[in-house]
Amino acid sequence: MFKIGYRTAKTALGTTIAIMLAEFLQLENYPSAGIITILCIQVTKKKSLKSSWARFLACSIAMVFSFVFFEGITYHPLIIGLLLLLFIPTTVIVKATEGIVTSTVVIFHLYSEGNITFELIGNELLLVTIGIGIALIMNLYMPSVESKLKNYQEEIEHNLANIFKEIELYLLEKDRKWDGLEITKTAQLIDEAKTLAFRDVENHFLRHENTYYHYFKMREKQFEIIERVIPMITSIHIAIDQSRIIADFIHELRLNIHPGNTAQRFLMQLLEMRKEIEGMELPNTREEFEARAALFHFLKEMENYLVVKSQFKGMEV
């Protein structure tokens, strides 16, 4: 079984309406209105508006070029090539390259008629206007992605909690076996979530930012820190008292992974814990020294992890 997406449905409906309207108005080459609609329906409202403007501008320039070259020189295939040599760079200069394909259709229409009249120009302008207009109307509807973003948030937090759980258990047991699947999965989830959140921003003309997008960017920075600390933890092969203290801290931290901002509380706890560890008896062996050095480095990275969260204004839990 195959699934029909909302964009496919909008494209099919919009194309049908555009062609029917152009045919009702008895326009020449009326199916072209449907082609323009197909080209203008994009994944976001902003992209659709940008694409529509580029196509309208390119088509308008194409009509001017066509009149100058065909009426000013002659109707010949070589002239089409000459026209395109100058027309395409012009669309690049005015940042209307998306409209090249659409405008070439207009150029061929004018060429095939062999005589450019005001009626013919009006016909082409109506085709372009109908195609673009129907596409913009179709793109007014964009399904809400709020629930999907929420699901991404919860799944990412669940994975982060599992990763911290493995760190906590390794600090206590040292012989943990972990496949690390959460690492790969979390990286993928964050990339997908950021893409979806950015698309949501593009679907709102008056909104230039998205709380979810900032949230996923924050988690991305935190995840980069987590990827750095895992080798530090796995390099510790002996049990020391400091490991148990830090494991308790990680335990509480993982139980409080949520979109709210409690980073300041944990930063204070980390500071107190560091003072406690610094006041403990000095290591007696090289292995203990290396283990404690790795743990101090780990705590520094955890401080960075919490600072990243503290800079995020937070979301409702």
Side-chain angles (χ1 to χ4, degrees), residues 287-299:
E287 288 78 9
E288 289 182 15
F289 176 81
E290 291 175 347
R292 193 181 293 194
L295 288 175
F296 268 109
H297 194 178
F298 172 73
L299 288 180

PDB file of all heavy atoms in Angstrom, residues 287-299:
ATOM      1  N   GLU A 287      47.087   4.818  39.102  1.00  0.00           N
ATOM      2  CA  GLU A 287      45.776   4.500  38.553  1.00  0.00           C
ATOM      3  C   GLU A 287      44.696   5.384  39.185  1.00  0.00           C
ATOM      4  O   GLU A 287      43.788   5.881  38.491  1.00  0.00           O
ATOM      5  CB  GLU A 287      45.443   3.021  38.780  1.00  0.00           C
ATOM      6  CG  GLU A 287      46.227   2.045  37.930  1.00  0.00           C
ATOM      7  CD  GLU A 287      47.640   1.830  38.442  1.00  0.00           C
ATOM      8  OE1 GLU A 287      47.946   2.320  39.571  1.00  0.00           O
ATOM      9  OE2 GLU A 287      48.450   1.214  37.724  1.00  0.00           O
ATOM     10  N   GLU A 288      44.781   5.580  40.507  1.00  0.00           N
ATOM     11  CA  GLU A 288      43.814   6.447  41.182  1.00  0.00           C
ATOM     12  C   GLU A 288      43.946   7.889  40.708  1.00  0.00           C
ATOM     13  O   GLU A 288      42.948   8.597  40.529  1.00  0.00           O
ATOM     14  CB  GLU A 288      44.022   6.373  42.698  1.00  0.00           C
ATOM     15  CG  GLU A 288      43.595   5.059  43.322  1.00  0.00           C
ATOM     16  CD  GLU A 288      43.789   5.074  44.829  1.00  0.00           C
ATOM     17  OE1 GLU A 288      43.973   6.172  45.402  1.00  0.00           O
ATOM     18  OE2 GLU A 288      43.764   3.984  45.427  1.00  0.00           O
ATOM     19  N   PHE A 289      45.177   8.340  40.525  1.00  0.00           N
ATOM     20  CA  PHE A 289      45.412   9.707  40.045  1.00  0.00           C
ATOM     21  C   PHE A 289      44.793   9.908  38.658  1.00  0.00           C
ATOM     22  O   PHE A 289      44.124  10.916  38.399  1.00  0.00           O
ATOM     23  CB  PHE A 289      46.917   9.986  40.000  1.00  0.00           C
ATOM     24  CG  PHE A 289      47.255  11.339  39.432  1.00  0.00           C
ATOM     25  CD1 PHE A 289      47.176  12.487  40.218  1.00  0.00           C
ATOM     26  CD2 PHE A 289      47.624  11.479  38.092  1.00  0.00           C
ATOM     27  CE1 PHE A 289      47.480  13.739  39.698  1.00  0.00           C
ATOM     28  CE2 PHE A 289      47.920  12.733  37.563  1.00  0.00           C
ATOM     29  CZ  PHE A 289      47.853  13.859  38.369  1.00  0.00           C
ATOM     30  N   GLU A 290      45.033   8.966  37.728  1.00  0.00           N
ATOM     31  CA  GLU A 290      44.501   9.064  36.377  1.00  0.00           C
ATOM     32  C   GLU A 290      42.967   9.006  36.384  1.00  0.00           C
ATOM     33  O   GLU A 290      42.310   9.729  35.624  1.00  0.00           O
ATOM     34  CB  GLU A 290      45.077   7.955  35.505  1.00  0.00           C
ATOM     35  CG  GLU A 290      46.566   8.120  35.210  1.00  0.00           C
ATOM     36  CD  GLU A 290      47.144   6.950  34.441  1.00  0.00           C
ATOM     37  OE1 GLU A 290      46.464   5.901  34.356  1.00  0.00           O
ATOM     38  OE2 GLU A 290      48.284   7.081  33.917  1.00  0.00           O
ATOM     39  N   ALA A 291      42.430   8.144  37.256  1.00  0.00           N
ATOM     40  CA  ALA A 291      40.973   8.026  37.340  1.00  0.00           C
ATOM     41  C   ALA A 291      40.356   9.318  37.843  1.00  0.00           C
ATOM     42  O   ALA A 291      39.355   9.807  37.306  1.00  0.00           O
ATOM     43  CB  ALA A 291      40.603   6.857  38.257  1.00  0.00           C
ATOM     44  N   ARG A 292      40.986   9.899  38.899  1.00  0.00           N
ATOM     45  CA  ARG A 292      40.439  11.145  39.435  1.00  0.00           C
ATOM     46  C   ARG A 292      40.593  12.292  38.429  1.00  0.00           C
ATOM     47  O   ARG A 292      39.700  13.149  38.318  1.00  0.00           O
ATOM     48  CB  ARG A 292      41.130  11.508  40.755  1.00  0.00           C
ATOM     49  CG  ARG A 292      40.391  12.607  41.492  1.00  0.00           C
ATOM     50  CD  ARG A 292      41.060  13.003  42.786  1.00  0.00           C
ATOM     51  NE  ARG A 292      41.024  11.954  43.787  1.00  0.00           N
ATOM     52  CZ  ARG A 292      41.304  12.176  45.082  1.00  0.00           C
ATOM     53  NH1 ARG A 292      41.639  13.392  45.493  1.00  0.00           N
ATOM     54  NH2 ARG A 292      41.270  11.175  45.941  1.00  0.00           N
ATOM     55  N   ALA A 293      41.699  12.319  37.688  1.00  0.00           N
ATOM     56  CA  ALA A 293      41.888  13.349  36.663  1.00  0.00           C
ATOM     57  C   ALA A 293      40.812  13.254  35.586  1.00  0.00           C
ATOM     58  O   ALA A 293      40.261  14.267  35.133  1.00  0.00           O
ATOM     59  CB  ALA A 293      43.272  13.207  36.040  1.00  0.00           C
ATOM     60  N   ALA A 294      40.493  12.011  35.188  1.00  0.00           N
ATOM     61  CA  ALA A 294      39.449  11.811  34.181  1.00  0.00           C
ATOM     62  C   ALA A 294      38.098  12.270  34.714  1.00  0.00           C
ATOM     63  O   ALA A 294      37.292  12.876  33.984  1.00  0.00           O
ATOM     64  CB  ALA A 294      39.396  10.341  33.774  1.00  0.00           C
ATOM     65  N   LEU A 295      37.840  12.014  35.993  1.00  0.00           N
ATOM     66  CA  LEU A 295      36.572  12.428  36.595  1.00  0.00           C
ATOM     67  C   LEU A 295      36.469  13.946  36.697  1.00  0.00           C
ATOM     68  O   LEU A 295      35.399  14.521  36.488  1.00  0.00           O
ATOM     69  CB  LEU A 295      36.412  11.793  37.977  1.00  0.00           C
ATOM     70  CG  LEU A 295      36.126  10.289  37.984  1.00  0.00           C
ATOM     71  CD1 LEU A 295      36.106   9.747  39.409  1.00  0.00           C
ATOM     72  CD2 LEU A 295      34.811   9.982  37.270  1.00  0.00           C
ATOM     73  N   PHE A 296      37.583  14.625  37.018  1.00  0.00           N
ATOM     74  CA  PHE A 296      37.567  16.085  37.065  1.00  0.00           C
ATOM     75  C   PHE A 296      37.299  16.672  35.674  1.00  0.00           C
ATOM     76  O   PHE A 296      36.576  17.659  35.525  1.00  0.00           O
ATOM     77  CB  PHE A 296      38.893  16.621  37.616  1.00  0.00           C
ATOM     78  CG  PHE A 296      38.885  16.824  39.092  1.00  0.00           C
ATOM     79  CD1 PHE A 296      39.609  15.993  39.929  1.00  0.00           C
ATOM     80  CD2 PHE A 296      38.124  17.842  39.651  1.00  0.00           C
ATOM     81  CE1 PHE A 296      39.589  16.178  41.303  1.00  0.00           C
ATOM     82  CE2 PHE A 296      38.104  18.040  41.021  1.00  0.00           C
ATOM     83  CZ  PHE A 296      38.831  17.198  41.855  1.00  0.00           C
ATOM     84  N   HIS A 297      37.889  16.063  34.674  1.00  0.00           N
ATOM     85  CA  HIS A 297      37.631  16.492  33.294  1.00  0.00           C
ATOM     86  C   HIS A 297      36.161  16.268  32.955  1.00  0.00           C
ATOM     87  O   HIS A 297      35.516  17.110  32.305  1.00  0.00           O
ATOM     88  CB  HIS A 297      38.535  15.726  32.332  1.00  0.00           C
ATOM     89  CG  HIS A 297      38.576  16.329  30.962  1.00  0.00           C
ATOM     90  ND1 HIS A 297      39.355  15.836  29.946  1.00  0.00           N
ATOM     91  CD2 HIS A 297      37.923  17.392  30.428  1.00  0.00           C
ATOM     92  CE1 HIS A 297      39.167  16.561  28.856  1.00  0.00           C
ATOM     93  NE2 HIS A 297      38.305  17.524  29.118  1.00  0.00           N
ATOM     94  N   PHE A 298      35.632  15.133  33.384  1.00  0.00           N
ATOM     95  CA  PHE A 298      34.223  14.811  33.157  1.00  0.00           C
ATOM     96  C   PHE A 298      33.321  15.859  33.807  1.00  0.00           C
ATOM     97  O   PHE A 298      32.337  16.325  33.206  1.00  0.00           O
ATOM     98  CB  PHE A 298      33.916  13.424  33.708  1.00  0.00           C
ATOM     99  CG  PHE A 298      32.458  13.064  33.696  1.00  0.00           C
ATOM    100  CD1 PHE A 298      31.808  12.767  32.511  1.00  0.00           C
ATOM    101  CD2 PHE A 298      31.727  13.029  34.883  1.00  0.00           C
ATOM    102  CE1 PHE A 298      30.456  12.437  32.496  1.00  0.00           C
ATOM    103  CE2 PHE A 298      30.384  12.712  34.879  1.00  0.00           C
ATOM    104  CZ  PHE A 298      29.744  12.407  33.685  1.00  0.00           C
ATOM    105  N   LEU A 299      33.648  16.257  35.038  1.00  0.00           N
ATOM    106  CA  LEU A 299      32.844  17.266  35.738  1.00  0.00           C
ATOM    107  C   LEU A 299      32.887  18.611  35.023  1.00  0.00           C
ATOM    108  O   LEU A 299      31.890  19.341  34.980  1.00  0.00           O
ATOM    109  CB  LEU A 299      33.332  17.416  37.176  1.00  0.00           C
ATOM    110  CG  LEU A 299      33.019  16.264  38.133  1.00  0.00           C
ATOM    111  CD1 LEU A 299      33.576  16.554  39.516  1.00  0.00           C
ATOM    112  CD2 LEU A 299      31.520  16.000  38.187  1.00  0.00           C
TER     113      LEU A 299
END
